[in-house]
Amino acid sequence: MEKATTRAEEVREKIQKKRNDIEKWMVRNELEEDMKDEIMKNIKQKLEEDITVDLEDIVSILPWYTKKALKRVLCMSTLRRVPMLSKVDEKVLKMMCDYLKPVIYQENDIVFQMEEPLDRMVFITEGFMWTYTTAIESSHFVKTTGIATSPSMDTHFLKKGDSYGHVLLQFASSSLTALPTSTANVKCHTKVEAFVLMAKDLKNMVTKCEKYWPFDYNPSKDEAADQVAPLGQFQQQQLSKKRVAASNINPTGYSG
């Protein structure tokens, strides 16, 4: 009985330490109350089984049925933002959600390198990534592929709701077996929570839902879809936050 009491106290303390972060995470993702209750119940149950469970990656510790429902809540709208997927049957998007795997990238992690194989699509649910090519890389890319790029460094930010790796959708629609390559470097500007769809899983999914898959999609309609948020927009957001913080410290705005 004493051991059981001690474990219950440890579970309570660990949940209490993380409750604020967990609740903020659920609010940011606009979860319904029943989903919030289900998640908290599962976290408590998981901790009772193993007190050492890491609560940084909430999605990964949930049972499959809760995870399945949560992935659809978190990712359906993001999938709809991809031009090629904007009008596909909902059955396809639900199946795609089921294949998604949660990942956490740390600040400064390199997610993709230019001209390296693109083996997955990434859908961001929290944080910022940035894509970039240098003048040297762009020049080499033009020589090896024949595709023209900007002569100077080209940088874009990706944020919550954005994704990278759209070219895999055309790859999955073809009989090609060689993976496409990334047209840019992709690096985490902050800690990033995301879901990934592996190329092999995408191919498998397309095979299962051939009836609903848009094989006649025109890739030209999806031009620059992987680079949707210009650097200037992100910088303006950061500058705005700094101004608000400064005004809170010095409400009058007087610096003399």
Side-chain angles (χ1 to χ4, degrees):
M1 183 177 293
E2 183 178 347
K3 186 176 180 181
T5 302
T6 301
R7 171 53 63 90
E9 183 64 20
E10 289 177 343
V11 169
R12 188 193 67 78
E13 287 181 0
K14 189 161 185 176
I15 290 179
Q16 195 60 38
K17 286 180 181 178
K18 296 294 295 183
R19 181 177 293 277
N20 192 41
D21 291 339
I22 294 171
E23 289 180 348
K24 284 182 179 179
W25 178 84
M26 293 191 292
V27 169
R28 283 198 307 270
N29 287 290
E30 301 177 348
L31 302 185
E32 299 289 342
E33 288 303 318
D34 57 344
M35 178 64 76
K36 292 179 183 179
D37 293 341
E38 179 72 12
I39 289 173
M40 292 306 298
K41 182 185 75 173
N42 280 302
I43 288 175
K44 183 175 182 292
Q45 182 177 332
K46 197 71 176 179
L47 287 173
E48 287 172 347
E49 296 170 0
D50 180 6
I51 194 63
T52 66
V53 165
D54 184 4
L55 298 183
E56 290 300 317
D57 188 359
I58 298 173
V59 181
S60 294
I61 67 174
L62 298 175
W64 70 267
Y65 48 87
T66 304
K67 191 183 300 183
K68 181 175 182 176
L70 180 60
K71 286 193 293 186
R72 293 180 179 182
V73 171
L74 296 179
C75 300
M76 284 290 280
S77 61
T78 299
L79 293 177
R80 286 285 187 201
R81 290 183 61 176
V82 178
M84 185 174 174
L85 301 177
S86 61
K87 295 181 180 179
V88 300
D89 193 285
E90 189 170 347
K91 296 184 183 70
V92 175
L93 299 185
K94 286 182 176 180
M95 186 182 295
M96 193 172 285
C97 283
D98 294 345
Y99 276 104
L100 293 176
K101 296 178 173 66
V103 295
I104 292 181
Y105 297 108
Q106 300 303 322
E107 181 180 350
N108 294 323
D109 278 358
I110 301 294
V111 182
F112 297 108
Q113 288 188 314
M114 189 172 178
E115 295 189 66
E116 291 295 314
L118 195 66
D119 64 346
R120 62 199 181 278
M121 294 183 71
V122 178
F123 302 91
I124 301 172
T125 55
E126 192 73 32
F128 291 92
M129 291 180 181
W130 57 300
T131 72
Y132 63 95
T133 58
T134 65
I136 294 176
E137 287 173 323
S138 295
S139 176
H140 178 64
F141 188 69
V142 172
K143 288 179 181 178
T144 56
T145 67
I147 301 174
T149 62
S150 169
S152 59
M153 179 177 255
D154 189 18
T155 308
H156 296 264
F157 266 87
L158 301 175
K159 60 186 184 304
K160 178 177 180 176
D162 293 337
S163 53
Y164 186 85
H166 298 181
V167 68
L168 277 181
L169 295 172
Q170 278 85 53
F171 164 76
S173 305
S174 70
S175 58
L176 296 175
T177 56
L179 288 171
T181 58
S182 178
T183 58
N185 302 296
V186 182
K187 184 177 181 179
C188 293
H189 184 73
T190 65
K191 176 183 174 182
V192 172
E193 294 178 17
F195 286 88
V196 297
L197 178 61
M198 304 306 295
K200 59 182 178 59
D201 290 335
L202 180 58
K203 276 276 194 181
N204 187 32
M205 189 209 74
V206 171
T207 301
K208 290 181 177 179
C209 62
E210 286 184 353
K211 179 180 177 181
Y212 303 101
W213 189 256
F215 286 99
D216 59 346
Y217 180 77
N218 183 356
S220 64
K221 297 177 182 178
D222 208 357
E223 184 178 3
D226 286 330
Q227 300 175 346
V228 295
L231 178 60
Q233 177 182 337
F234 178 82
Q235 288 177 322
Q236 289 170 6
Q237 291 173 347
Q238 297 299 91
L239 182 59
S240 177
K241 289 180 180 178
K242 289 179 180 178
R243 285 173 176 167
V244 171
S247 65
N248 288 337
I249 296 173
N250 184 12
T252 64
Y254 178 65
S255 58

